Amino acid sequence: MGILSYLTGFGGRDMAVDLGTANTLVYVRGRGIVLSEPSVVAVDTRTGEVHAVGMDAKRMLGRTPGTIQAIRPLKDGVIADFDVTEEMLRHFIQKVHQNRFAHPRVVVCVPSGVTGVEKRAVEEACLAAGARQAYLIEEPMAAAIGAGLPVGEPTGSMVVDIGGGTSEVAVISLGGIVVSQSIRVGGDEMDDAIVNWCKTHHKLMIGQQTAEEVKLEAGSATELREEVRTEIRGRDIVSGLPKTVMLSSEEVREALRDPVDAIVNAVKETLDRTPPELAGDIMDRGITLAGGGSLLQGFDERLREECQMPAQLADSPLTCVAVGSGRSLEEFETIHRVNASNGRRRRR
């Protein structure tokens, strides 16, 4: 799912924000998930004024006049546009709190492969958006907690979190990540692959939203029992006129081959680096899939075939990262101690 933030405060302000490349979810303690909107902001290019955020802004993607630009400020799980991310965060915090003076504490969960500079950018964006404090935690841990895995026990649990910009693979034991891998391949890469396939094989130009609809309707990681066909509309590259094409699920699967293979290979490489005792635990418990990308038809089946072990979807793949962050609100002091000890270890 990209960047994950936990927002914690006092007086009923405890909240968690799963700030992802594709979607942002807000979880409030005692109320559950209270907001789920696309991570899109519509900005006036002349004045810099924000016109819309979330669902309203997503409707504008590819449909705006020259003076308004619909921006996705996060790319590959990290901040691509600092100022727009700050505005988006501020909007979501105020929408939930309905209080412009709310200043919650923030624990920010980042993909395990981000750089120090990218981590600082996330912290600073949260502080600029009105957070009182910002801390960091790695994303796969929140996904594992939300999926109900026994992360605190001396046993191996494996989670694969496929978000919009990144895919996170991690083996967790005793409350820590033993081995992990983060690749910048996710749902967005799959959409791009479908766009490129249509351009190359059908001379048809389509937008990201159309590609996403095709992925949901006809995309798969393995052969389907009943192959389907879907109609797509776009612009003919040669004539420049509107054009309709029928796309088969076999074609969509072929288009998605590279990004799907990259995620499967990341899982295999992580298993290869897993200590034997923990690998035995994973053989018993299996691989847990989370994130919107894991909903691609047949992906769990493909992992079972390739890795020769059980693989299953989390109960709620789209929300388990946000729910996991919400459950971890009670563990705030523990998270803070872990961050402090990691900092001391790095200084040595």
Side-chain angles (χ1 to χ4, degrees), residues 264-324:
V264 170
N265 289 336
V267 175
K268 287 180 172 178
E269 287 167 18
T270 305
L271 283 168
D272 189 49
R273 294 187 286 118
T274 301
E277 297 293 338
L278 296 181
D281 295 337
I282 296 166
M283 279 294 293
D284 293 335
R285 186 170 288 110
I287 301 166
T288 299
L289 300 173
S294 66
L295 294 171
L296 182 71
Q297 294 182 75
F299 195 86
D300 52 348
E301 190 182 326
R302 173 75 181 274
L303 275 184
R304 282 195 289 272
E305 290 173 6
E306 296 267 358
C307 302
Q308 296 296 301
M309 63 173 61
Q312 62 281 327
L313 285 168
D315 287 341
S316 181
L318 286 168
T319 61
C320 69
V321 176
V323 170

Side-chain angles (χ1 to χ4, degrees), residues 57-76:
K58 186 176 183 179
R59 292 194 193 100
M60 299 181 184
L61 279 172
R63 295 184 170 95
T64 56
T67 56
I68 297 176
Q69 186 178 10
I71 299 169
R72 296 179 65 179
L74 293 117
K75 183 171 173 59
D76 298 334

Side-chain angles (χ1 to χ4, degrees), residues 211-232:
E212 187 178 9
E213 288 165 11
V214 169
K215 178 182 69 179
L216 295 172
E217 193 173 329
S220 65
T222 57
E223 288 185 15
L224 300 175
R225 289 184 183 87
E226 289 185 25
E227 300 291 353
V228 298
R229 293 172 68 80
T230 184
E231 183 181 88
I232 57 170

Side-chain angles (χ1 to χ4, degrees), residues 116-187:
V117 172
E118 289 165 341
K119 287 179 180 179
R120 281 195 297 278
V122 178
E123 280 184 319
E124 288 167 12
C126 289
L127 293 171
R132 188 167 72 253
Q133 292 172 295
Y135 303 96
L136 298 183
I137 187 172
E138 289 181 316
E139 183 181 317
M141 182 64 75
I145 294 168
L149 300 179
V151 295
E153 296 176 14
T155 181
S157 299
M158 187 174 206
V159 64
V160 179
D161 178 25
I162 307 170
T166 61
S167 293
E168 305 279 318
V169 186
V171 175
I172 296 166
S173 178
L174 279 172
I177 294 174
V178 182
V179 287
S180 68
Q181 186 165 349
S182 176
I183 60 169
R184 297 195 173 185
V185 175

